[in-house]
Amino acid sequence: MSFSARIVPEARKYAAAARVAMLDRWRYPAELVGPCVTLGLFVFVFSCIWTSAFVGKATISGYTRQACTWYFVFAEICYFCSSGAFASLSQDIKDGQVAYTLARPYHLVLATWAQRLGIGLSLAPILFAVGYAIASSVAGPWIPDSMLRGGAVLVSFVLSISLHVLLQACMALVAFWFEENSAFLWIFAKITLVAGTLMPLEFLPASWQEVLLWFPFPWLVWAPAKLAVVPDLDLAMAGFLLGGQMAWLLLSLALAAGVFHLAVRHATVHGG
Amino acid sequence: MDRLNAYARLFRLSFAANLAAAMEYRVNFLVQVFGMILNNCAFIVFWKVLFRRAGNLGGYGFRDVMFLWAITAVAFGISHVVFGNVRNLSVLIKQGDLDVYLLQPKDVLFNAMTSRTIVSAWGDMCFGLVLFGFLRPEASAWMGFLFFSATGTLVLSATFVLGESLTLFVDGSEGLSQSVAEMILSFSLYPEKVFPEGMRWIFYSILPSGFIVFLPLAFWRAPSVGIAAWVTLAAAGYGFGAWLLFSAGLRRYESGNRISARS
């Protein structure tokens, strides 16, 4: 059987999983209210903070007030759209629900990735609308000034969710060994928050930036948010940011698959 | 006086039982406490970096913002440590789980709130106290801090109860309660002056962050009896108002006809 003959049905399977997750999310529109209110609140609070921080200053670390406001919107949307994978997978492992998933004809890690990507993509338009309404009223509208920027932001957004989900899956799979694995997520989430979510990476001291770029944290939200607001985006910059995300995505996919391979040996199914 | 002693005894026993239950899983307890401390520390890094870049925010410096964080963390921590059900009331109401408290001879709101503790809130409480210690306050400042932490706990808890009590009047208002909680926390953790002037009245009415942290910060900068008196009055007012609204709504409560035990 040729490579494509094997890959296409597999890809269809995971695309179906993503589509079902997306439709499921839209089936309960009331559940979208919570994330929208929270995102709207955060964007409003941070737009106020940036307004105060930029009094008497045109730029801080190369970012204008408008850029910072929009940076925050994109960073938060990436974060909101990809959170939750850890909690659901971790819970499934702890309560044994994972036994059903393991028995199905798909790979747990890839299925989780597809489902969370579906959820993220279904959330993104509505969160973007909320963020856009608030941010454009205080910082002016965001309009992609080139095809390169628009395309790069979209690709980067998908890479961001994928990378975030796979890293969360790695941490969730630790539940096969440790009952209490939430500490891993907390540490991970807090470093991510500081390394490019609450503020651009460039705000941090130079030595911190150099170190952090060797870790996956900035590639989760800093890359897509920077692509959205950096002035004069060129191919080299887009290539660097997307390339970094892609490299980390492949690494995290290999890591997640490896952890799953080891973890599944610890699965104990009691029936029922 | 006997009545007050009886409530103090119930409070003490509930607290001891909740603490014992939390300590049953020690590793989990420690992970949650230190995890929450770490969580809050991430924001210290954010503020440190921001102030280094921006200089000041609306006339506030790093120490001022750390004071806001310290007092909010302690108030939030105590509120959830001793009144662990304070943000779970709407669930209890919706599921008809208040029956068990209605059958007991103590005030329903007090009894329900004190019957649970939130483990991670211990982390918030410890974080706030240590953070304030790092600001190297004098003994008198510690007195003020502890006093305003107590009033802040009361105002914050009362606001949560007001939000949660809406479930007794309006079906499906849990989302609104959740939003009220998120908003009051968000506004309490950031300097008052960064927000537009036109909306600051909200901080002294619907979302009383003003009484939880902004007035205590003003007191810390320049102590005044007037501020302490206003905050005390507000704490008593919000506390009584929350109890009144919950009690009024309780008449509309419908039993879930479920067999349940006091958690």
Side-chain angles (χ1 to χ4, degrees):
Chain A
M1 194 187 280
S2 70
F3 181 72
S4 63
R6 275 191 294 132
I7 286 291
V8 171
E10 284 290 306
R12 276 199 191 133
K13 200 163 60 184
Y14 295 111
R19 198 172 56 246
V20 169
M22 195 184 268
L23 291 173
D24 187 53
R25 189 74 190 181
W26 279 105
R27 185 77 64 197
Y28 306 101
E31 287 183 10
L32 298 170
V33 174
C36 288
V37 170
T38 308
L39 179 95
L41 180 66
F42 286 175
V43 171
F44 171 72
V45 168
F46 269 79
S47 65
C48 292
I49 286 175
W50 294 133
T51 304
S52 291
F54 278 89
V55 170
K57 295 179 192 69
T59 62
I60 297 176
S61 303
Y63 285 81
T64 61
R65 180 177 70 86
Q66 286 79 5
C68 266
T69 305
W70 279 109
Y71 177 96
F72 186 77
V73 172
F74 281 97
E76 283 295 317
I77 290 174
C78 289
Y79 199 85
F80 270 62
C81 287
S82 50
S83 55
F86 173 88
S88 61
L89 182 56
S90 204
Q91 193 56 42
D92 281 356
I93 294 168
K94 286 177 192 173
D95 62 21
Q97 184 70 24
V98 75
Y100 294 100
T101 320
L102 290 175
R104 287 176 184 153
Y106 52 55
H107 194 283
L108 178 70
V109 172
L110 295 179
T112 304
W113 179 12
Q115 285 162 354
R116 301 311 302 194
L117 191 60
I119 291 173
L121 292 176
S122 65
L123 264 177
I126 189 155
L127 289 179
F128 185 69
V130 171
Y132 199 96
I134 298 170
S136 58
S137 68
V138 290
W142 178 84
I143 300 163
D145 52 7
S146 65
M147 289 286 283
L148 174 67
R149 191 186 297 278
V153 169
L154 280 176
V155 173
S156 181
F157 174 70
V158 173
L159 290 174
S160 163
I161 297 182
S162 303
L163 176 58
H164 205 169
V165 168
L166 289 172
L167 290 170
Q168 286 180 75
C170 291
M171 290 179 284
L173 287 168
V174 173
F176 277 108
W177 290 279
F178 302 104
E179 175 84 12
E180 189 45 70
N181 59 345
S182 49
F184 296 104
L185 180 77
W186 282 351
I187 294 167
F188 173 85
K190 292 317 132 194
I191 299 176
T192 306
L193 217 55
V194 172
T197 308
L198 294 176
M199 61 194 158
L201 192 68
E202 290 81 355
F203 278 39
L204 297 173
S207 55
W208 292 24
Q209 292 177 43
E210 283 170 23
V211 173
L212 283 167
L213 281 173
W214 290 97
F215 289 89
F217 310 106
W219 305 100
L220 295 168
V221 285
W222 170 70
K226 187 179 169 81
L227 279 168
V229 301
V230 67
D232 307 321
L233 178 67
D234 55 20
L235 263 176
M237 173 65 82
F240 168 69
L241 293 170
L242 292 174
Q245 280 188 294
M246 188 62 85
W248 272 108
L249 180 66
L250 293 174
L251 264 175
S252 59
L253 183 59
L255 182 66
V259 175
F260 174 73
H261 181 71
L262 293 173
V264 80
R265 295 181 195 170
H266 287 259
T268 309
V269 180
H270 296 288
Chain B
M1 198 62 190
D2 283 349
R3 208 169 138 82
L4 204 64
N5 280 338
Y7 273 97
R9 191 159 175 270
L10 172 67
F11 179 79
R12 213 170 44 243
L13 290 172
S14 289
F15 182 77
N18 291 334
L19 183 60
M23 294 304 281
E24 187 69 25
Y25 303 98
R26 267 169 216 210
V27 174
N28 184 48
F29 180 87
L30 291 173
V31 164
Q32 291 208 43
V33 169
F34 285 106
M36 191 47 73
I37 292 173
L38 189 75
N39 174 58
N40 297 341
C41 285
F43 286 92
I44 298 184
V45 175
F46 164 71
W47 284 111
K48 193 78 189 166
V49 170
L50 186 60
F51 275 110
R52 189 170 286 176
R53 297 284 181 193
N56 77 78
L57 284 178
Y60 289 80
F62 180 69
R63 279 171 64 83
D64 297 322
V65 174
M66 288 305 100
F67 179 87
L68 297 181
W69 273 79
I71 212 157
T72 305
V74 174
F76 181 89
I78 298 175
S79 171
H80 287 70
V81 163
V82 298
F83 304 132
N85 259 335
V86 72
R87 282 169 71 194
N88 195 40
L89 290 172
S90 58
V91 175
L92 294 178
I93 294 163
K94 198 178 168 187
Q95 295 180 346
D97 278 340
L98 281 184
D99 296 16
V100 69
Y101 304 103
L102 283 163
L103 293 172
Q104 292 177 353
K106 292 289 185 289
D107 180 75
V108 176
L109 179 61
F110 183 83
N111 200 355
M113 284 203 307
T114 54
S115 68
R116 187 180 175 211
T117 189
I118 303 293
V119 174
S120 61
W122 288 83
D124 286 308
M125 200 170 67
C126 297
F127 169 82
L129 291 169
V130 172
L131 181 60
F132 189 66
F134 271 114
L135 299 178
R136 294 187 200 158
E138 292 169 4
S140 58
W142 267 110
M143 297 283 285
F145 179 78
L146 294 175
F147 172 76
F148 288 116
S149 294
T151 55
T153 301
L154 195 54
V155 178
L156 196 58
S157 305
T159 311
F160 290 146
V161 171
L162 287 166
E164 297 284 317
S165 299
L166 293 176
T167 308
L168 289 161
F169 299 91
V170 186
D171 281 342
S173 60
E174 299 89 337
L176 185 61
S177 317
Q178 183 66 28
S179 298
V180 167
E182 275 179 15
M183 280 193 250
I184 194 158
L185 280 175
S186 292
F187 290 132
S188 300
L189 292 170
Y190 299 94
E192 181 184 13
K193 297 272 168 63
V194 305
F195 298 111
E197 253 183 77
M199 70 173 288
R200 287 187 206 154
W201 61 271
I202 294 173
F203 304 144
Y204 298 90
S205 52
I206 309 165
L207 301 167
S209 301
F211 298 113
I212 299 168
V213 281
F214 299 148
L215 285 178
L217 175 61
F219 183 92
W220 193 50
R221 285 170 145 188
S224 114
V225 178
I227 291 176
W230 270 113
V231 172
T232 309
L233 269 176
Y238 276 94
F240 184 64
W243 178 81
L244 219 55
L245 186 77
F246 182 85
S247 303
L250 205 53
R251 292 186 204 126
R252 302 162 60 95
Y253 171 72
E254 289 174 21
S255 164
N257 286 323
R258 283 169 42 155
I259 298 170
S260 55
R262 188 180 185 275
S263 56

